[in-house]
Amino acid sequence: MIANTQSRIVNTKPEEAFVHVVIASLYDGKQVAALPKQEILNYLRRKKFLNGIPLRELVDLSIVLCRDLGRREVIEQSVDFLDPKFKASLFVLTIDLILCNGHFDEREFEFMLELAAQLNVGIEESIRIIDLICIKNYGNGNPHWSFEN
């Protein structure tokens, strides 16, 4: 991967783009929020197509890109490099990470819907996913949430 942290992410492999989107989704403007880096790495290692990728170094690079370009720009640039067959899976994994920290407000909900749109996940499907993950993570500090509430 070649990254010019001043303007563009170029020559990125789909696996790298996947990690960039995950990390950018967790980036709060100063650091990767929500989880310790090791826990994020454990989540990423569950994906077999990421085997053999130097994940720790890639996560560190993703953090630098977020710091230099901003999280939305990293996501916007990385989406073009993603393998379309992994976009829904990326959305689910990312939402699971976002919602595992016990913080869920309207701003974060709006971000999750923006991410869904960028990954071509429909609005109804994305809301179902968010609702199911809130149910899954109930008791981890997340209040139960439903679109109907």
Side-chain angles (χ1 to χ4, degrees):
M1 175 201 163
I2 300 170
N4 173 347
T5 58
Q6 297 305 311
S7 58
R8 301 288 306 161
I9 299 171
V10 295
N11 296 338
T12 298
K13 297 176 185 169
E15 299 86 353
E16 295 168 341
F18 189 98
V19 173
H20 292 330
V21 171
V22 170
I23 299 305
S25 296
L26 298 172
Y27 191 77
D28 70 1
K30 297 178 186 172
Q31 63 184 3
V32 176
L35 295 169
K37 187 187 299 185
Q38 188 57 50
E39 205 162 330
I40 295 167
L41 290 167
N42 292 342
Y43 265 85
L44 292 171
R45 286 187 179 112
R46 294 178 188 170
K47 295 294 184 187
K48 291 188 191 251
F49 77 95
L50 295 177
N51 287 348
I53 302 289
L55 287 174
R56 186 173 300 279
E57 293 82 4
L58 189 53
V59 166
D60 290 341
L61 175 60
S62 297
I63 293 167
V64 169
L65 290 169
C66 288
R67 186 192 66 224
D68 292 350
L69 300 174
R71 92 183 201 166
R72 283 186 163 78
E73 186 65 25
V74 169
I75 292 169
E76 186 177 308
Q77 290 185 32
S78 297
V79 165
D80 293 337
F81 298 102
L82 291 170
D83 186 333
K85 69 183 176 191
F86 290 115
K87 286 183 176 184
S89 177
L90 170 59
F91 182 73
V92 171
L93 181 138
T94 302
I95 297 306
D96 198 16
L97 287 167
I98 289 171
L99 294 178
C100 76
N101 71 357
H103 301 287
F104 178 43
D105 58 23
E106 189 170 329
R107 182 184 57 82
E108 205 63 18
F109 178 68
E110 290 172 8
F111 172 78
M112 290 184 274
L113 293 181
E114 287 175 27
L115 180 63
Q118 288 178 303
L119 297 174
N120 299 319
V121 177
I123 185 79
E124 289 180 19
E125 184 179 11
S126 63
I127 290 171
R128 267 194 319 272
I129 290 166
I130 292 166
D131 196 31
L132 288 171
I133 290 177
C134 284
I135 292 167
K136 173 190 159 285
N137 290 340
Y138 183 76
N140 293 351
N142 288 337
H144 176 67
W145 173 87
S146 173
F147 186 67
E148 288 93 29
N149 290 343

